Amino acid sequence: MLDLRGAKTVVLGFGRSGRAAARLLAVLGARVVVSETRRAEDLPPGDYYALQERGVRFETGGHRQETLLAADLVVTSPGVPPEVWAQARKKGIPVWGELELAFRALRKPVPILAVTGTNGKTTTTAMISDILRLSGFKVFTGGNYGVPLSEYVLSGEPAERLVLEVSSFQLETVERFAPTVAAVLNLTPDHLERYSDLQEYARAKLRLLENLSGEGLGLIPHPDLPGAGGDLLWREFRGSQRILFFGRAPGLAVEVRQGEFVLRPGEKEETYSLSGFRLCGEHNRLNFAVAAFMARVSGAEPGAIRKALRSFVGFPHRLEYIGNFGGVYFVNDSKATNVDATLRALESLPAPIILLAGGQHKGASYRPLFQAVRSRVRILILMGASRFLMAEELAGATETHLVENLPEALALALRLARPGDTVLLSPAAASFDQFSSYEERGEVFRDLVLSYAPKVLAPEERPEVYH
């Protein structure tokens, strides 16, 4: 067990991971200061007062360098910019994230399956967990998705497998974190408001593969997958015995074919039909194959893979089919907060598409969308803070309209829609210009569609599953 008794520790940020880290540090006997930019009255009162009773001290209204520089250990939340803790690290003070802290505090070794990538992390993490549970394992699922790993440590409830989604922000501060099986699903430009370029972003992601434990395995895309960043990864890891590849090329550890995929977890290969898979999009079929391989090499049964393939239905806000009204389909892809995610959505859904896009700009160019918009989008409706920049970079691709917000965008889409169209919310931008989260944005879109589409468009019966 990690010994931090009496250590002077500072927790940067009091979001979900910061609260979990502060609780764990207090249990470990550390002296804890929580540093927050918000005022005390704006913090969650239950956690704030409960931690104060445990002796945790709070400094609110801004991060104070003198506090950080006097610490024995700094534990930072993923959303805190690196420049806040850069001086502490330069001084030689350890700077960990909550993930690193929790990993070091694990009471006993447990196989860890970890997933990162620009897109698809949450869905793939859930797929792995489903397959393992169907194989009879007791599974903890969390990390960047859902529950911080510190909460698992604090619970004292043993699991047989830990399945974690890991972000680039979390990976900036790992040192010993060592997954048993790890996958980098893809690498495309994202978070360029934080990283100087794709290479710096990629270096953060690839830290997941630095400390593979024991006989651990890493899984990355093969260069034959367009737009997945496999060419960059191939140069980095070609020839490594512990890094395997997934893609369409024959003989890979995970090979996706037309209507099926092949796993090669050892000397024998296993073939699984994709018949009955309920998620639309080639990327989802690929992610399921990756999830199946990771679960399989961690002890899952082939029968569990086949059962999960038929039963997994995905998540809200990720190519979520809302309904069909008057022959017009409505799909909520609010989770598409970057260009690559929107590109995948456009490639996955039937044309013609009325695309609702725009929000808070994240630094990447929208030009990679041009060809897909020109070939698949009948009408482009741009909204939010990034609408003018998007309109400039996508000028000439298709008929384009600019509106201020999501209700105006949907109202216009309802006026312009024709039977056979797909009205797709896939913003290619963050939500924070007008919403608190992509979830809120997606829920507003869903509510607007269900409130107004039946009144504007004649209802029509549709099959349950939308492809």
Side-chain angles (χ1 to χ4, degrees):
M1 190 70 172
L2 180 64
D3 187 2
L4 290 174
R5 288 172 292 182
K8 293 183 292 182
T9 61
V10 176
V11 174
L12 289 171
F14 200 55
R16 189 164 190 176
S17 68
R19 296 196 296 271
R23 284 194 292 272
L24 179 54
L25 287 167
V27 168
L28 293 172
R31 290 182 286 166
V32 185
V33 176
V34 172
S35 174
E36 241 293 344
T37 56
R38 291 175 290 175
R39 300 175 303 170
E41 54 266 35
D42 296 327
L43 301 180
D47 292 306
Y48 176 68
Y49 291 115
L51 283 167
Q52 279 192 322
E53 290 178 1
R54 297 198 67 125
V56 173
R57 187 163 62 86
F58 285 79
E59 289 184 356
T60 56
H63 303 303
R64 302 175 192 172
Q65 286 297 314
E66 59 269 27
T67 302
L68 272 67
L69 296 176
D72 299 315
L73 170 67
V74 174
V75 178
T76 182
S77 298
V80 176
E83 53 264 28
V84 173
W85 42 262
Q87 286 299 315
R89 176 170 278 181
K90 187 175 181 180
K91 187 182 175 182
I93 299 168
V95 178
W96 302 344
E98 176 273 332
L99 180 68
E100 179 74 15
L101 170 69
F103 175 77
R104 295 193 186 211
L106 288 171
R107 291 177 175 83
K108 65 177 184 177
V110 184
I112 296 175
L113 295 84
V115 179
T116 196
T118 305
N119 297 302
K121 299 183 294 295
T122 300
T123 299
T124 305
T125 300
M127 289 170 172
I128 297 167
S129 299
D130 270 16
I131 295 169
L132 288 171
R133 288 193 181 99
L134 288 169
S135 295
F137 291 102
K138 186 173 183 180
V139 179
F140 168 83
T141 308
N144 187 58
Y145 155 58
V147 184
L149 184 59
S150 290
E151 298 284 9
Y152 166 73
V153 179
L154 287 164
S155 73
E157 298 180 4
E160 297 169 302
R161 300 289 186 272
L162 307 181
V163 184
L164 305 176
E165 175 189 323
V166 186
S167 72
S168 61
F169 295 0
Q170 290 175 308
L171 288 167
E172 291 171 0
T173 50
V174 297
E175 292 180 6
R176 297 182 186 172
F177 175 69
T180 311
V181 187
V184 180
L185 298 176
N186 42 63
L187 281 173
T188 58
D190 197 14
H191 296 301
L192 296 184
E193 76 285 1
R194 180 152 171 155
Y195 301 107
S196 61
D197 53 28
L198 177 60
Q199 284 68 35
E200 185 183 9
Y201 173 58
R203 283 195 295 272
K205 289 287 191 187
L206 293 178
R207 297 203 66 197
L208 183 68
L209 306 176
E210 284 183 0
N211 301 319
L212 290 171
S213 65
E215 298 299 316
L217 295 174
L219 199 59
I220 60 176
H222 189 268
D224 75 338
L225 285 175
D231 48 350
L232 174 67
L233 300 173
W234 175 264
R235 292 194 299 269
E236 186 79 18
F237 293 106
R238 182 173 53 187
S240 171
Q241 297 299 309
R242 302 180 69 187
I243 305 298
L244 307 176
F245 293 89
F246 63 89
R248 303 189 185 108
L252 298 180
V254 180
E255 177 189 343
V256 179
R257 302 171 178 170
Q258 185 68 35
E260 65 182 19
F261 63 89
V262 178
L263 304 184
R264 297 181 175 91
E267 295 182 1
K268 296 182 179 179
E269 66 178 37
E270 303 170 356
T271 302
Y272 298 84
S273 170
L274 283 161
S275 176
F277 188 57
R278 303 179 67 181
L279 273 62
C280 53
E282 176 66 22
H283 62 290
N284 277 320
R285 291 185 279 275
L286 189 65
N287 289 343
F288 186 87
V290 170
F293 180 87
M294 295 178 69
R296 186 75 176 99
V297 298
S298 302
E301 297 295 330
I305 294 172
R306 294 186 173 95
K307 185 173 182 180
L309 186 146
R310 294 188 299 272
S311 63
F312 190 82
V313 295
F315 289 92
H317 318 303
R318 295 164 172 82
L319 290 177
E320 174 193 1
Y321 174 54
I322 298 176
N324 174 292
F325 303 94
V328 179
Y329 309 94
F330 292 84
V331 177
N332 168 22
D333 194 35
S334 181
K335 180 62 172 68
T337 61
N338 58 60
V339 170
D340 184 65
T342 297
L343 186 60
R344 289 170 183 266
L346 293 176
E347 292 170 345
S348 299
L349 300 177
I353 294 170
I354 298 178
L355 175 62
L356 281 56
Q360 184 183 73
H361 184 53
K362 296 174 71 178
S365 171
Y366 301 106
R367 286 292 296 177
L369 290 171
F370 188 91
Q371 291 300 328
V373 169
R374 185 164 68 175
S375 63
R376 304 188 62 76
V377 175
R378 186 172 72 84
I379 297 172
L380 176 63
I381 302 176
L382 301 176
M383 60 189 174
S386 66
R387 64 189 184 275
F388 300 109
L389 177 59
M390 295 182 83
E392 179 182 341
E393 295 195 355
L394 298 176
T398 192
E399 177 184 335
T400 302
H401 301 264
L402 275 66
V403 299
E404 186 171 339
N405 54 43
L406 182 54
E408 291 180 13
L410 181 63
L412 180 58
L414 290 173
R415 286 204 304 272
L416 299 176
R418 304 188 300 220
D421 284 345
T422 298
V423 176
L424 168 67
L425 171 67
S426 190
S431 59
F432 303 119
D433 57 336
Q434 297 182 353
F435 300 95
S436 64
S437 64
Y438 75 81
E439 291 98 339
E440 183 189 12
R441 178 171 61 188
E443 287 160 7
V444 168
F445 178 69
R446 187 193 305 118
D447 290 345
L448 287 169
V449 169
L450 294 177
S451 296
Y452 294 104
K455 299 174 184 177
V456 176
L457 305 168
E460 180 177 302
E461 292 295 326
R462 288 295 302 164
E464 181 179 319
V465 181
Y466 174 67
H467 286 286

